[in-house]
């Protein structure tokens, strides 16, 4: 499903991010060669998500904003252009 979505959007998987809270979804993102697989721990467990192939694990999607700010990431306009 993730690969088909990337293809329909015209995006190479290695340049896309998968956000997933299920182990099967994390495994699919990792197997599909996506550039970043973020596991959202909603009770599955951080270690299990990491073992399934997540590059990072967060407890809440709001943590991604904090990670981006800490890394100095700039916001975009939704199309990839700086905001």
């Amino acid at each position: 499903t993730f690969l088909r979505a990337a293809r329909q959007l015209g995006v190479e998987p290695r340049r896309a991010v998968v956000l997933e809270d299920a182990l099967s979804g994390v495994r699919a993102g990792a197997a599909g060669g996506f550039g970043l697989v973020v596991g959202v721990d909603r009770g599955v467990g951080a270690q299990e998500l990491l073992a399934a192939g997540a590059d990072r694990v967060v407890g809440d999607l709001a943590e991604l904003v904090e990670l981006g700010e800490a890394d100095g990431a700039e916001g975009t306009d939704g199309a990839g252009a700086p905001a």
Side-chain angles (χ1 to χ4, degrees), residues 2 18-29 37-42 44 48-49 52:
F2 294 135
V18 170
L19 305 170
E20 183 59 61
D21 64 350
L23 292 174
S24 59
V26 169
R27 286 187 195 107
V37 179
V38 178
V40 183
D41 186 4
R42 303 212 189 272
V44 172
E48 288 79 1
L49 290 163

Side-chain angles (χ1 to χ4, degrees), residues 9-83:
L9 293 169
V11 176
E12 294 178 41
R14 65 182 176 83
R15 296 186 44 90
V17 176
V18 170
L19 305 170
E20 183 59 61
D21 64 350
L23 292 174
S24 59
V26 169
R27 286 187 195 107
F34 283 81
L36 179 66
V37 179
V38 178
V40 183
D41 186 4
R42 303 212 189 272
V44 172
Q47 292 305 317
E48 288 79 1
L49 290 163
L50 290 167
D55 298 303
R56 293 198 182 201
V57 175
V58 296
D60 186 285
L61 293 177
E63 292 176 43
L64 295 176
V65 174
E66 295 166 11
L67 288 171
E69 290 171 352
D71 290 342
E74 294 181 20
T76 65
D77 65 0

